[in-house]
Amino acid sequence: NYPLMVAVDDAGTDAGFAVSVQCVAPIDPHSVASLMRTAVSALVAGLEDDPDLALRSVPVLDDAALTELLVDNNDTAHAVPDATLVGLFEEQVRRSPEAVAVVFEGEQVSYAELNVRANRLARLLVARGAGPESLVAVALPRSVELVVALLAVLKSGAAYLPVDPEYPADRIGFMLADASPVCVVTTSDVVSALPQITDVLVVDDPQFVVEVSAYPGVDLQVGFGSECPAYVIFTSGSTGRPKGVVVSHAGIVNRLLWMQDRFGLDVSDRVLQKTPSGFDVSVWEFFWPLLVGAGLVVARPGGHRDPAYVAGLIVSAGVTTVHFVPSMLAAFVAEPSAAGCVGLRRVVCSGEALPAEVVQRFFAALDGVGLFNLYGPTEASVDVSWWECVPGPISVPIGRPVWNTQLYVLDSALSPVPPGVAGELYLAGVQLARGYLGRSGLTSERFVADPFGPAGSRMYRTGDLARWTVDGVVEYLGRTDDQVKLRGFRIELGEIEAVLAGHDAVAQVAVLAREDRPGDKQLVAYIVAAAEAAVEVSALRERAAQALPDYMVPSAFVVLDALPLTANGKLDRRALPAPEFDSDPAGRKPRTVQEQQLCDLFAEVLGLESVSIDDN
């Protein structure tokens, strides 16, 4: 903390008072002086009116400062048509029916063909009960069929629920039971991993091909408005249960039309779709190019994990626009072939904090390519703020709000805090999700009344710490709770703890995201065994893998006699020990040059003295 003190003499008498302001980071002298003047003036005025006034009730911002924070910084009003993703896509089909819409592994599909295929599947979905306010689950790997299925669900009037086929069966089962979709669109490779449900459409089944081909390929004209749900994406839940976020057409349309206005895709552009469909960034990857006549290049399943493959696809497919989470961007710019992506025009980053060091490496590797840092939770139609990065050793803010969106930085009493002072970030505007699927209590807890907007408006409590700068941009500072971001995935540590605590041998559990080496963040589970029970780490790891996605399975398990506590009895997270990775002392030594090189590499990556060829 950086304490700032000012003392004020009260008219030459012995009475007086002092003001202390705590800032989480250095702020410029202008902000300090302005903050002190405002605070002292507010205190003097408040105490003159009411000597017993509670300090927390004293406003520290005058009317001009409030107007700047609440109105001027959020002046984002922009006319947006009352439209749906379906209507905008079908308009584009009429404008460019023969243009290439989707490219996947050598296959090219035109806008007209994509529309016909989606219409036929949509009619089949309607016959199975799909319609406005219903859900259709889509459990497909990345493919042309995935794009067709998402469009078909939207054309039927329903919202799509993406189900990653790589998720554990338990998690898939929970999502389907919680969401109750009318049917699931999947493949023969995936259907065996799905729980027993009433209706499954297997897209590579010959009977399905015959059935769907019997329907006409003309547009359906299903009647539904922009307030209807477009998609539901499940995120990690702090109570141990994942929660589905319901997003309307109005929210995502506002987001995509802002993006088009800002970046201006045209028919020469191609957007790479490589984000898993269960991650909300995939939404703009899928639909932005299809609304404006650009091409959608779909990466092969698993390809998003391979920087060399991504670089090669960017070159071979003529990709101009791509998204990375910051940790993957760091791996991408370290890939030698990334420098050859000469056709790349813009890179969008989001999902976690973007380090300034990665920005500098990006511009060194890809000179002339635009880099943009976007921010937003799943509960707000993907992104709500943006910032254009520039070369230079500076921090990277999350920027300014997009169209029809407001950003508030508030204290615990929901009062705006001055520029330079940390507070919790709240979001408001048209992009807010409708809420959590079937979780009215949780919805009312996180989506609260907006005291600064029109009657009936809401704002979303993000749990993120942030601050305004004097230039009117927002900087991200961290979290107010235990939620973490790991490689772009949002993780509630409480969900992992709930899974592990369900094991009979576990009495207590705490999960922590550690970064013992810079840039190497990993999940570590700390376990206290139940009385007279023996903890088997392999059993706990297997339990976690059966219930959680792989990115939520802890990298290490540490068994303790007791969890360390602070003086007031709370968990002392700072006292939790770093995991130790020890090589097997009885393990065999390398026998060849190649084995020695491999062992040396593993030892370097894991931070060990040495590694034997028998180590796990």
Side-chain angles (χ1 to χ4, degrees):
N1 287 332
Y2 295 79
L4 309 171
M5 296 291 294
V6 58
V8 181
D9 182 23
D10 185 10
T13 69
D14 292 335
F17 58 86
V19 179
S20 175
V21 177
Q22 298 289 324
C23 296
V24 297
I27 56 178
D28 62 278
H30 171 78
S31 299
V32 174
S34 174
L35 185 59
M36 291 297 96
R37 284 195 301 270
T38 303
V40 171
S41 298
L43 278 171
V44 170
L47 291 172
E48 286 178 345
D49 294 338
D50 181 5
D52 297 323
L53 182 69
L55 287 179
R56 65 176 177 272
S57 302
V58 177
V60 295
L61 294 170
D62 57 24
D63 290 343
L66 283 172
T67 299
E68 180 181 4
L69 288 173
L70 298 176
V71 180
D72 298 342
N73 290 354
N74 286 309
D75 184 14
T76 60
H78 195 282
V80 173
D82 183 17
T84 65
L85 293 175
V86 173
L88 295 175
F89 170 69
E90 290 176 352
E91 289 175 7
Q92 185 56 49
V93 172
R94 290 189 285 272
R95 288 193 293 266
S96 59
E98 302 307 317
V100 174
V102 181
V103 177
F104 174 70
E105 296 285 89
E107 180 183 2
Q108 293 191 354
V109 180
S110 70
Y111 272 83
E113 180 185 352
L114 180 64
N115 194 46
V116 167
R117 292 171 63 174
N119 284 335
R120 286 176 172 158
L121 178 53
R123 292 180 184 277
L124 176 57
L125 293 174
V126 170
R128 299 295 179 94
E133 301 295 334
S134 68
L135 289 176
V136 173
V138 179
L140 295 171
R142 266 195 302 271
S143 59
V144 173
E145 287 72 23
L146 174 58
V147 181
V148 171
L150 298 183
L151 284 169
V153 174
L154 295 176
K155 282 172 171 283
S156 76
Y160 74 85
L161 168 65
V163 177
D164 192 332
E166 295 186 354
Y167 279 173
D170 286 355
R171 192 177 187 86
I172 293 176
F174 172 85
M175 292 170 61
L176 295 180
D178 192 57
S180 299
V182 297
C183 62
V184 180
V185 183
T186 187
T187 67
S188 56
D189 291 336
V190 178
V191 70
S192 60
L194 300 177
Q196 295 297 318
I197 53 178
T198 55
D199 201 359
V200 178
L201 297 178
V202 182
V203 299
D204 54 351
D205 186 308
Q207 180 59 38
F208 167 85
V209 176
V210 172
E211 187 176 2
V212 77
S213 299
Y215 288 95
V218 296
D219 294 337
L220 281 72
Q221 307 301 328
V222 175
F224 61 94
S226 61
E227 294 306 314
C228 280
Y231 62 87
V232 173
I233 286 182
F234 273 76
T235 67
S236 182
S238 58
T239 62
R241 295 174 54 200
K243 53 188 183 290
V245 180
V246 184
V247 176
S248 69
H249 283 265
I252 191 60
V253 163
N254 184 87
R255 166 66 174 72
L256 294 179
L257 293 185
W258 165 82
M259 203 171 194
Q260 176 61 14
D261 180 81
R262 176 62 189 81
F263 298 109
L265 287 188
D266 58 37
V267 294
S268 68
D269 279 293
R270 285 190 169 182
V271 176
L272 180 58
Q273 201 294 299
K274 65 178 183 64
T275 303
S277 60
F279 187 20
D280 64 345
V281 167
S282 68
V283 179
W284 71 252
E285 289 180 341
F286 281 118
F287 297 109
W288 179 26
L290 297 181
L291 304 187
V292 299
L296 174 64
V297 177
V298 180
R300 71 188 182 202
H304 61 287
R305 303 185 183 99
D306 184 350
Y309 165 77
V310 172
L313 185 59
I314 289 173
V315 174
S316 63
V319 170
T320 62
T321 305
V322 64
H323 173 273
F324 289 102
V325 295
S327 51
M328 186 60 183
L329 179 64
F332 178 73
V333 296
E335 164 60 39
S337 59
C341 298
V342 293
L344 201 57
R345 299 175 186 172
R346 60 190 72 85
V347 171
V348 178
C349 253
S350 66
E352 56 191 0
L354 178 57
E357 179 268 337
V358 175
V359 173
Q360 306 322 310
R361 288 168 54 195
F362 172 87
F363 284 116
L366 294 165
D367 185 33
V369 180
L371 177 63
F372 302 87
N373 187 39
L374 274 61
Y375 161 87
T378 305
E379 289 85 349
S381 306
V382 191
D383 298 305
V384 292
S385 68
W386 70 284
W387 178 259
E388 183 172 3
C389 300
V390 296
I394 60 173
S395 62
V396 184
I398 59 176
R400 296 182 172 87
V402 304
W403 286 354
N404 304 307
T405 300
Q406 292 78 47
L407 309 181
Y408 305 134
V409 182
L410 310 178
D411 62 18
S412 59
L414 300 185
S415 297
V417 299
V421 177
E424 185 170 357
L425 181 62
Y426 287 74
L427 314 175
V430 69
Q431 289 191 192
L432 288 196
R434 291 192 2 175
Y436 298 112
L437 183 68
R439 308 280 290 277
S440 57
L442 184 59
T443 297
S444 61
E445 176 186 332
R446 304 301 296 190
F447 293 85
V448 298
D450 179 2
F452 315 110
S457 59
R458 304 173 304 152
M459 60 182 184
Y460 171 68
R461 181 183 179 185
T462 67
D464 288 332
L465 282 173
R467 66 177 177 182
W468 285 104
T469 70
V470 292
D471 298 322
V473 299
V474 175
E475 294 179 329
Y476 173 80
L477 300 173
R479 289 290 299 175
T480 63
D481 54 23
D482 295 333
Q483 185 190 107
V484 298
K485 286 289 188 75
L486 192 63
R487 298 185 296 278
F489 291 102
R490 188 166 107 183
I491 299 172
E492 295 282 3
L493 299 179
E495 182 176 353
I496 307 173
E497 292 171 348
V499 169
L500 297 176
H503 194 284
D504 293 339
V506 175
Q508 292 179 287
V509 60
V511 178
L512 191 66
R514 301 188 64 101
E515 192 171 357
D516 296 300
R517 292 186 300 159
D520 181 21
K521 185 181 291 186
Q522 60 180 342
L523 297 174
V524 180
Y526 296 89
I527 307 295
V528 176
E532 300 182 359
V535 173
E536 295 184 8
V537 169
S538 59
L540 292 180
R541 190 183 301 277
E542 181 179 356
R543 180 183 181 87
Q546 289 176 348
L548 301 168
D550 57 357
Y551 61 84
M552 293 180 68
V553 177
S555 301
F557 292 78
V558 179
V559 180
L560 301 174
D561 294 333
L563 295 178
L565 303 176
T566 62
N568 58 10
K570 295 183 178 180
L571 176 65
D572 187 354
R573 295 183 177 274
R574 289 180 295 182
L576 290 169
E580 295 182 0
F581 298 97
D582 294 326
S583 178
D584 182 1
R588 291 173 295 167
K589 300 302 180 183
R591 299 162 299 184
T592 66
V593 173
Q594 288 82 3
E595 287 184 353
Q596 181 66 59
Q597 291 173 331
L598 274 175
C599 287
D600 289 345
L601 286 170
F602 272 99
E604 178 183 346
V605 170
L606 297 174
L608 302 178
E609 290 288 333
S610 63
V611 170
S612 76
I613 65 175
D614 295 316
D615 284 327
N616 187 328

